[in-house]
Amino acid sequence: MAKELKLMKGNQAIAEAAIRMGCDGYFGYPITPQSEVLEHLMAERPYLTTGMVVLQAESELASINMVYAGASTGKRVMTSSSSPGFSLMQEGLSYIAGAELPALCVNVVRGGPGLGTIQPSQSDYFQTTKGGGHGDYRLITLAPASVQEMYDFVELGFDLAFKYRNPAAILSDGVIGQVMEKVMVDDYKPRWTNEYIEEHCPWAATGHRAGGKSTIVTSLELEALKQEAINERIQAKYRKCEEEDARHEAIQCDDAEYLFVAYGSAARICMKAMELARAEGIKVGLVRPITLWPFPTKAVAEIGGRMKKILSVEMNAGQMIEDVKLAVNCNVPVEHYGRYGGVIPTPVEIFEALKKMVK
Amino acid sequence: MTREDIIKPENLVYKRTSVLKDATMHYCPGCGHGTVHRIIAEVIEEMGIQDNVVGISPVGCSVLAYNYFDVDFVEAAHGRAPACASAIKRLRPETFVFSYQGDGDLASIGCAEVMHACNRGENITMIFINNGIYGMTGGQMAPTTLEGMETVTCPYGRDPEIMGHTMRLTEALAQLPGTYYVTRQAVYTPALARKCKKAIRQAFENQKLNKGVSFVEVTSNCNSGWKMTAVQANKWMEENTLKYFPLGDMKVNGKFDPKFIERIATFDQPNETLYSLRKK
């Protein structure tokens, strides 16, 4: 069986991708608007086919610590949640980063703060891209703008997580999680064997004292100088990641005089706003960051540097705009347009905001 | 006689198990942790599973347990060892998995994780060291602190009306269908340590049966936190702690011990030990 075309929700695509790419375990807890991830996995029962473990944990605290422990043994494990639940996972993510473990977590963002709303939002940008938990660390953050990307970014997320031995996040939102689109799915790939893990993950606590020496997975180092050395090693990985793995998509930027910078569902809405603007002769392009951390600073600097003005369009009160301003070093005026608290901006609203900025 | 004359295999009456590293432990003299570490290490050696076991250490005095055991170890966040152990056992069912926690870690911050791991009937071994206090952070009140007992966060004695009651969590876990073996042991005399070793061996052997959680509570002193000498602390433990937390099996092979059934029938009545401590 080769590739197949399916119609599915973004949340289901996450689950389907996990099964098909050979993920070893998923640990999750229900929360709207991402519960279909766990529901789809429980309906598919991959533990009977690929051997993937699926467990509904007692809380997000338990889920992220199950992911921490699973990752400690070299297995490819993941979790998903939505904003309030993702907040509960921050301590665990900090431990995963501190112990230098690869893992994948998905945040299907809803509006906050607090219990907020179950409607879509991008208000967790700061939390996800700047660390979120305690200590100096980053999450490698992927921002899907379609159901296809929800599918594709599961394997990509694991690849990046293992490349850097650092947690990776898929920062989605309630639109991409709930909308149904067609998805090209891959054939089933086998899970890694224990032998493969022993060979490729010498840091993993497999229980087998690989090389005759016991393996310890911990984020604890009480001596300040040693802890500083660990931090330096982690920061060196981050510099490498910024250099090698910042991703973006540039659309109609070549002749543009103005620029939208937007990610995820906001980028999709900007595509329609671009059509409206270009029909009226406003030459506007779009840079869509695919990785939010590392932020595509070079691309935004290079493309944005040529523009008269930049509009950062976000479903929040203005978070990514800070990274856009840093990228162009404030040499180009950058403005923000956003709706928040679960409200989705319309293409016409964004077009009006652009016209106001152009005047 | 020279040193060489003495060091001969036929003269050997005791040696450190190879499952313990040649490292000096940081535990206070008289504390139960060192003894329990040795017992677990001996059981791992005797069962021949040193190359097929993962231990989970907690946050608390035994946070550095991984520096002493020569087996693969994962250091958990505070209270989350049962969640960690659950995941590892499910992902690697062929591996022996044990968690090791103190009473602040297990009964306070980790109460949900231990309850649910026991309720799911995870096929793991849990070791619970109960000394009625937070040792590492400097002797604060734990859920297991006896009523009337003084700690730095209840310097006038634990008053249950404002600080809650002394928690018998192990008794609660025994009542969950997911637990297969639940027992309370101690290690402050050689006889008790030998008995405890039998219990821990059983708790590891049970993983071969895939019948659920095997849970061993070891009641210990915390002589530093209790501000006593080790000898005084053991005597105090015998006279007070063990009256409220009596030693013995609660559940064996998935069945309640008859004495445990008798004992839980008295849980709605005032406990003499607590009453006398509170009167002080």
Side-chain angles (χ1 to χ4, degrees):
Chain A
M1 200 165 60
K3 291 194 170 214
E4 258 184 282
L5 197 61
K6 284 180 176 271
L7 181 69
M8 54 173 72
K9 282 187 173 192
N11 289 335
Q12 291 171 327
I14 293 280
E16 191 65 28
I19 301 170
R20 287 174 183 257
M21 59 76 63
C23 176
D24 293 304
Y26 171 92
F27 305 91
Y29 185 79
I31 183 170
T32 307
Q34 67 77 51
S35 296
E36 292 85 359
V37 182
L38 177 59
E39 288 168 15
H40 187 79
L41 286 166
M42 284 303 193
E44 290 296 311
R45 294 192 290 182
Y47 42 90
L48 299 179
T49 52
T50 69
M52 176 184 176
V53 171
V54 185
L55 181 62
Q56 178 170 338
E58 61 269 31
S59 66
E60 288 89 351
L61 295 184
S63 332
I64 195 67
N65 284 284
M66 287 171 178
V67 167
Y68 166 78
S72 298
T73 74
K75 297 284 182 176
R76 291 190 289 182
V77 289
M78 64 180 289
T79 185
S80 65
S81 191
S82 179
S83 307
F86 198 66
S87 289
L88 283 172
M89 293 183 179
Q90 296 308 314
E91 182 206 32
L93 287 167
S94 167
Y95 275 65
I96 295 170
E100 296 186 74
L101 298 172
L104 180 66
C105 51
V106 181
N107 183 1
V108 183
V109 180
R110 57 190 250 184
L115 204 47
T117 171
I118 58 171
Q119 301 301 327
S121 182
Q122 295 182 325
S123 48
D124 298 353
Y125 179 91
F126 279 150
Q127 182 190 47
T128 314
T129 60
K130 310 297 175 192
H134 59 284
D136 267 325
Y137 77 95
R138 300 285 192 157
L139 290 179
I140 299 165
T141 306
L142 297 165
S146 64
V147 176
Q148 183 68 55
E149 283 189 335
M150 287 286 257
Y151 183 93
D152 295 340
F153 288 179
V154 172
E155 189 164 8
L156 175 63
F158 273 116
D159 287 349
L160 291 170
F162 272 80
K163 179 176 176 185
Y164 294 102
R165 275 176 62 193
N166 193 75
I170 294 178
L171 188 66
S172 179
D173 64 60
V175 177
I176 307 291
Q178 292 295 326
V179 76
M180 288 187 95
E181 287 182 327
K182 60 185 181 189
V183 189
M184 189 64 84
V185 301
D186 299 313
D187 203 354
Y188 294 87
K189 290 179 193 165
R191 294 189 302 115
W192 288 351
T193 61
N194 286 348
E195 292 71 32
Y196 180 91
I197 293 170
E198 299 273 344
E199 199 187 322
H200 290 87
C201 309
W203 43 266
T206 60
H208 301 143
R209 290 197 311 148
K213 199 170 166 286
S214 48
T215 308
I216 297 162
V217 175
T218 181
S219 59
L220 176 70
E221 178 47 68
L222 293 169
E223 280 185 46
L225 284 173
K226 286 185 184 169
Q227 185 59 257
E228 187 182 47
I230 293 169
N231 271 269
E232 280 168 353
R233 188 171 70 225
I234 291 172
Q235 291 304 318
K237 291 195 304 194
Y238 292 161
R239 297 298 86 77
K240 182 176 152 74
C241 187
E242 285 166 342
E243 199 58 44
E244 293 179 12
D245 283 295
R247 288 159 192 251
H248 75 283
E249 184 185 14
I251 302 164
Q252 297 189 47
C253 290
D254 290 345
D255 65 340
E257 295 172 342
Y258 298 92
L259 185 69
F260 288 134
V261 181
Y263 71 93
S265 37
R268 290 283 289 272
I269 304 164
C270 281
M271 300 275 282
K272 186 72 191 169
M274 275 167 67
E275 274 179 35
L276 299 175
R278 283 186 173 261
E280 289 201 11
I282 303 174
K283 286 182 181 170
V284 61
L286 168 68
V287 167
R288 175 173 80 90
I290 293 172
T291 53
L292 299 180
W293 192 88
F295 191 74
T297 305
K298 278 183 195 164
V300 172
E302 195 266 308
I303 300 167
R306 305 196 300 256
M307 304 294 161
K308 289 181 179 162
K309 278 181 177 178
I310 300 172
L311 188 63
S312 183
V313 182
E314 306 169 59
M315 281 150 59
N316 59 41
Q319 299 190 16
M320 183 178 66
I321 186 175
E322 294 186 4
D323 289 324
V324 178
K325 280 185 174 176
L326 281 172
V328 296
N329 213 5
C330 293
N331 290 328
V332 179
V334 184
E335 293 182 16
H336 169 261
Y337 181 75
R339 296 295 300 267
Y340 31 92
V343 177
I344 304 164
T346 65
V348 174
E349 274 175 60
I350 295 172
F351 173 45
E352 293 297 332
L354 176 70
K355 278 203 287 194
K356 209 174 132 199
M357 182 178 82
V358 169
K359 267 181 199 169
Chain B
M1 213 176 350
T2 65
R3 194 167 180 269
E4 281 62 41
D5 291 330
I6 297 167
I7 306 172
K8 282 179 183 165
E10 61 267 31
N11 292 335
L12 193 70
V13 289
Y14 169 72
K15 74 177 176 69
R16 180 176 48 79
T17 159
S18 61
V19 178
L20 281 182
K21 291 176 189 162
D22 191 7
T24 306
M25 290 187 183
H26 70 283
Y27 300 118
C28 306
C31 165
H33 275 306
T35 315
V36 180
H37 280 23
R38 186 183 125 192
I39 289 173
I40 293 170
E42 285 177 357
V43 164
I44 289 170
E45 185 185 20
E46 286 161 22
M47 287 177 70
I49 58 171
Q50 186 177 10
D51 286 326
N52 193 26
V53 62
V54 175
I56 321 286
S57 57
V59 172
C61 287
S62 47
V63 65
L64 295 169
Y66 53 73
N67 283 343
Y68 310 129
F69 289 95
D70 192 9
V71 303
D72 284 1
F73 243 88
V74 175
E75 206 293 300
H78 200 17
R80 318 295 173 221
C84 291
S86 302
I88 293 176
K89 189 68 182 186
R90 281 172 184 251
L91 289 159
R92 293 183 174 272
E94 71 289 352
T95 308
F96 286 84
V97 179
F98 73 97
S99 57
Y100 188 104
Q101 298 177 269
D103 46 321
D105 194 79
L106 183 141
S108 189
I109 195 168
C111 198
E113 283 74 19
V114 73
M115 276 291 210
H116 286 278
C118 285
N119 195 49
R120 287 191 301 265
E122 300 289 351
N123 188 32
I124 54 178
T125 301
M126 292 184 181
I127 310 292
F128 169 37
I129 310 295
N130 176 12
N131 58 15
I133 205 162
Y134 283 79
M136 184 154 91
T137 44
Q140 294 84 2
M141 183 181 76
T144 43
T145 299
L146 295 182
E147 293 176 15
M149 190 175 161
E150 292 164 12
T151 75
V152 291
T153 52
C154 52
Y156 307 106
R158 181 179 191 161
D159 179 353
E161 286 185 15
I162 52 173
M163 298 161 185
H165 299 275
T166 307
M167 189 187 269
R168 285 182 283 213
L169 186 58
T170 306
E171 278 82 348
L173 299 174
Q175 293 170 65
L176 297 171
T179 50
Y180 186 66
Y181 176 48
V182 181
T183 185
R184 179 177 291 121
Q185 302 288 329
V187 290
Y188 67 97
T189 69
L192 286 169
R194 275 196 292 277
K195 229 176 138 202
C196 181
K197 184 174 172 183
K198 248 179 101 179
I200 288 176
R201 173 79 190 241
Q202 189 62 55
F204 274 83
E205 292 283 351
N206 283 349
Q207 286 195 40
K208 295 174 185 166
L209 305 174
N210 202 9
K211 293 272 178 109
V213 172
S214 291
F215 189 96
V216 182
E217 173 181 330
V218 183
T219 307
S220 176
N221 76 61
C222 175
N223 52 74
S224 322
W226 295 0
K227 315 276 184 245
M228 296 178 193
T229 66
V231 175
Q232 284 169 342
N234 283 336
K235 187 162 178 285
W236 193 90
M237 177 167 72
E238 208 165 42
E239 288 168 359
N240 299 287
T241 314
L242 298 186
K243 298 275 163 47
Y244 193 69
F245 294 109
L247 304 180
D249 294 337
M250 295 176 212
K251 199 182 204 179
V252 179
N253 297 339
K255 297 270 177 241
F256 287 144
D257 186 274
K259 275 192 202 142
F260 174 66
I261 298 173
E262 269 174 43
R263 196 157 66 78
I264 51 175
T266 68
F267 275 13
D268 60 348
Q269 293 156 31
N271 182 286
E272 283 306 314
T273 304
L274 299 185
Y275 187 66
S276 63
L277 273 170
R278 279 167 65 185
K279 268 199 305 192
K280 278 179 201 167

